[in-house]
């Protein structure tokens, strides 16, 4: 690659924080909220013009409930849902055989509520600010370099929490990272879109009344008769559409009821081979995903009951990335840990979503379930041999298969809360996060409402 030499220059230090959170998605919001307090200066940097990340793209939150129907994600994540629910902007946690549970949320109210919480907690938020590099001295991260309309600046911090989803800070700090399966294949992303004017009752009646026609992957009738639901299946309809010349990129129809009675969010675009850490690849995914939306909407109107008069209401502001970088931390969670419902002495979160792998090639997916729930150890948030840094969310230390479970938003919120509390407690104790008394962290998590089993 052709190169140029950039002249050396002094970078102004915009701020010095106690805790700096990079990335304002589900993990980042929880991390910043949990880190705030005790007179600490906490900052949150986000590249977009709003907070919320994948909470704002039309997806329901999956996995608040475990396999046995008990609630396993509580604490700050539940309090966030309570605030939304008080505004009529979130549903109850509805059990779902495939997805453990689904919680429908209003994406615009998420943005509002997240900013309100940051203001209440005294977190300094910088939007439209891109992470550019990590500042490392010896074995410790000392802050980050950011880029914005103001130019290139530094933010120094005693502790940095990487909630970028792509492990950007960790990667730039020299932490070992992995991407994808043994061949580098990653789960493909989806660009969500919303349709209004759907006759949801007709769709509901067709699924329940004609199982021989509308073949569902898992179809407990009670799940579809009332309340919010996710459909997964209608494979016959897709085959019929493909035979008629439609280009449908997936093998299953995935439809999610919205908060409005005539609203359906569609989870069916799929662009294989997208790498969100490469801008040309991510750009291709966005362009191709948008093309697919109109073909899928046409398919729904022609082949799926209830959609004849439906229209595209809105498209998510960005693709939902299922997989990119993960760090190699002090412990790497595996699918074997999940399937065995493994317990850990340093558990800082409990999860129960299945290992849900959307195949890197082709349009299908594979799901593997544990019988109950499993623990996520604190060590998954700690990079090897790099101090001053915690990593929370889908870029925490998991292998390819395990990340297919931990990537859901409820789990990322729990990991973010644990990272934020760990950062604050470590600063209070005058130690690095890796040297924190994990029992003190677990005690605070329990005291503030988190579920640890």
């Amino acid at each position: 690659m052709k190169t140029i030499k950039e002249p050396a220059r002094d970078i102004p230090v915009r701020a010095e924080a106690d805790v700096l959170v990079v990335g304002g998605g589900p993990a980042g919001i929880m991390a910043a909220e949990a880190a705030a307090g005790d007179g600490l200066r906490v900052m949150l940097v986000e590249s977009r013009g709003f907070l919320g990340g994948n909470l704002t793209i039309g997806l329901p939150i999956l996995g608040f409930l475990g396999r046995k129907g008990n609630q396993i994600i509580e604490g700050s994540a539940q309090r966030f849902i309570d605030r939304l629910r008080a505004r009529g902007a979130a549903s109850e946690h509805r059990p779902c055989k495939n997805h453990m549970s689904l919680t429908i949320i209003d994406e615009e109210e998420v943005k509002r509520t997240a900013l309100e919480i940051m203001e209440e907690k005294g977190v300094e938020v910088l939007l439209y600010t891109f992470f550019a590099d990590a500042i490392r001295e010896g074995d410790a991260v000392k802050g980050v370099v950011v880029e914005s309309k103001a130019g290139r600046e530094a933010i120094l911090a005693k502790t940095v929490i990487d909630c970028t989803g792509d492990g950007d800070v960790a990667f730039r700090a020299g932490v070992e990272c992995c991407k994808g399966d043994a061949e580098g294949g990653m789960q493909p992303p989806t660009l969500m879109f919303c349709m209004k004017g759907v006759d949801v009752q007709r769709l509901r009646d067709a699924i329940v009344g004609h199982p021989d026609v509308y073949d569902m992957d898992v179809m407990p009738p009670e799940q579809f008769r009332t309340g919010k639901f996710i459909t997964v299946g209608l494979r016959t309809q897709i085959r019929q559409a493909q035979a008629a010349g439609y280009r449908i990129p997936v093998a299953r129809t995935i439809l999610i009821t919205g908060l409005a009675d005539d609203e359906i969010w569609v989870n069916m675009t799929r662009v294989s081979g997208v790498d969100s850490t490469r801008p040309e690849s991510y750009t291709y995914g966005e362009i191709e995903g948008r093309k697919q939306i109109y073909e899928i909407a046409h398919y729904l109107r022609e082949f799926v009951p209830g959609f004849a008069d439906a229209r595209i209401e809105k498209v998510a502001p960005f693709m939902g990335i299922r997989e990119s970088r993960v760090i190699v931390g002090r412990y790497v969670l595996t699918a074997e840990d999940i399937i065995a419902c493994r317990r850990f002495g340093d558990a800082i979160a409990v999860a129960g979503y299945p290992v849900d792998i959307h195949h890197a090639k082709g349009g299908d997916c594979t799901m593997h379930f544990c019988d109950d729930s499993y623990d996520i150890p604190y060590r998954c948030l700690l990079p090897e041999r790099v101090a001053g840094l915690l990593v929370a969310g889908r870029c925490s230390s998991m292998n390819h298969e395990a990340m297919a479970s931990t990537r859901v938003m409820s789990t990322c919120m729990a990991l973010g809360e644990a990272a934020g509390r760990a950062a604050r407690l470590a600063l209070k104790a005058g130690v690095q996060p890796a040297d924190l008394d994990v029992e003190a962290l677990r005690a605070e998590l329990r005291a503030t409402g988190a579920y640890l089993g």
Side-chain angles (χ1 to χ4, degrees):
M1 180 181 291
K2 187 176 180 180
T3 63
I4 62 167
K5 182 177 283 294
E6 185 176 11
R9 54 177 167 159
D10 293 329
I11 297 174
V13 176
R14 166 177 277 274
E16 297 185 44
D18 293 299
V19 179
L20 172 64
V21 180
V22 183
I29 295 167
M30 299 295 111
E33 178 186 4
D38 299 328
L40 298 181
R41 184 179 187 184
V42 178
M43 297 185 70
L44 173 60
V45 170
E46 167 56 46
S47 61
R48 298 185 174 93
F50 54 87
L51 299 181
N54 278 2
L55 289 165
T56 70
I57 65 174
L59 287 166
I61 306 179
L62 307 177
F64 264 95
L65 305 183
R67 189 76 186 272
K68 296 183 176 180
N70 59 312
Q71 186 163 342
I72 57 175
I73 303 291
E74 296 183 349
S76 294
Q78 180 57 50
R79 288 189 287 275
F80 191 87
I81 296 300
D82 290 341
R83 290 178 70 134
L84 291 177
R85 202 171 283 162
R87 288 175 165 157
S91 71
E92 74 285 357
H93 305 312
R94 182 169 173 79
C96 177
K97 191 172 181 64
N98 263 350
H99 307 93
M100 302 305 95
S101 66
L102 67 149
T103 310
I104 310 298
I105 53 175
D106 183 296
E107 68 279 5
E108 293 302 325
E109 286 296 341
V110 163
K111 300 172 188 176
R112 173 189 179 191
T113 301
L115 286 171
E116 284 178 350
I117 292 171
M118 297 303 102
E119 185 174 18
E120 292 164 8
K121 294 293 184 179
V123 176
E124 300 175 48
V125 177
L126 275 178
L127 302 175
Y128 303 109
T129 304
F130 289 82
F131 166 80
D133 207 354
I135 301 169
R136 180 170 166 174
E137 295 180 8
D139 291 333
V141 173
K142 297 295 185 179
V144 303
V145 176
V146 296
E147 292 269 9
S148 70
K149 296 285 187 180
R152 193 169 176 89
E153 300 173 305
I155 301 175
L156 305 181
K158 296 173 183 174
T159 304
V160 177
I161 306 177
D162 183 345
C163 296
T164 61
D166 294 320
D168 293 332
V169 181
F171 178 73
R172 291 284 186 174
V175 175
E176 182 182 358
C177 296
C178 298
K179 281 194 297 189
D181 58 21
E183 298 176 349
M186 290 180 283
Q187 297 189 66
T190 290
L191 183 61
M192 297 285 294
F193 67 99
C194 174
M195 298 190 76
K196 295 291 285 290
V198 181
D199 186 340
V200 175
Q201 189 59 49
R202 187 178 175 202
L203 173 65
R204 194 190 306 273
D205 291 343
I207 291 171
V208 174
H210 302 281
D212 55 326
V213 176
Y214 303 104
D215 54 330
M216 309 303 296
D217 283 16
V218 178
M219 211 283 297
E222 66 277 5
Q223 186 171 310
F224 297 102
R225 285 198 175 103
T226 60
K228 305 302 180 184
F229 61 84
I230 300 179
T231 67
V232 180
L234 295 155
R235 291 173 181 265
T236 300
Q237 281 61 46
I238 287 183
R239 288 192 292 270
Q240 290 171 351
Q242 289 171 334
Y246 287 74
R247 294 189 306 117
I248 309 298
V250 290
R252 310 173 307 162
T253 305
I254 305 178
L255 308 172
I256 306 156
T257 47
L259 288 172
D261 291 339
D262 66 339
E263 177 180 291
I264 289 286
W265 282 89
V266 183
N267 183 351
M268 290 179 64
T269 68
R270 172 170 296 189
V271 189
S272 296
V274 171
D275 182 345
S276 61
T277 68
R278 295 170 49 229
E280 71 279 12
S281 179
Y282 205 168
T283 300
Y284 164 74
E286 291 279 352
I287 293 170
E288 180 61 26
R290 196 165 289 271
K291 291 177 181 176
Q292 291 178 7
I293 283 172
Y294 297 94
E295 185 87 345
I296 292 166
H298 194 189
Y299 150 71
L300 292 170
R301 292 189 195 102
E302 292 297 318
F303 290 90
V304 178
F307 280 86
D309 299 318
R311 66 188 183 279
I312 296 173
E313 174 75 5
K314 51 192 167 184
V315 177
F318 58 90
M319 294 192 90
I321 300 298
R322 289 186 174 91
E323 182 175 13
S324 61
R325 291 192 200 104
V326 293
I327 68 163
V328 177
R330 299 193 174 206
Y331 186 84
V332 178
L333 194 75
T334 68
E336 289 74 21
D337 292 329
I338 292 171
I339 300 304
C341 302
R342 189 169 176 191
R343 304 301 171 193
F344 294 91
D346 62 338
I348 43 75
V350 174
Y353 190 73
V355 176
D356 178 9
I357 300 178
H358 291 245
H359 299 166
K361 298 176 182 178
D364 219 332
C365 82
T366 303
M367 302 182 84
H368 303 281
F369 296 82
C370 66
D371 291 333
D372 187 1
S373 60
Y374 61 91
D375 290 349
I376 302 176
Y378 179 53
R379 288 165 290 162
C380 288
L381 310 183
L382 299 171
E384 286 272 30
R385 296 181 293 278
V386 176
L389 178 65
L390 289 151
V391 181
R394 65 175 170 82
C395 48
S396 298
S397 183
M398 327 285 179
N399 71 6
H400 167 70
E401 293 80 14
M403 197 280 304
S405 170
T406 61
R407 64 182 170 81
V408 294
M409 290 184 284
S410 62
T411 304
C412 289
M413 294 168 86
L415 295 179
E417 178 180 6
R421 295 196 184 282
R424 181 169 46 76
L425 290 175
L427 287 173
K428 281 181 65 178
V431 300
Q432 285 292 329
D435 299 319
L436 177 64
D437 177 4
V438 74
E439 282 306 319
L441 172 58
R442 283 162 51 82
E444 171 154 324
L445 284 166
R446 284 197 183 96
T448 51
Y451 177 81
L452 296 182

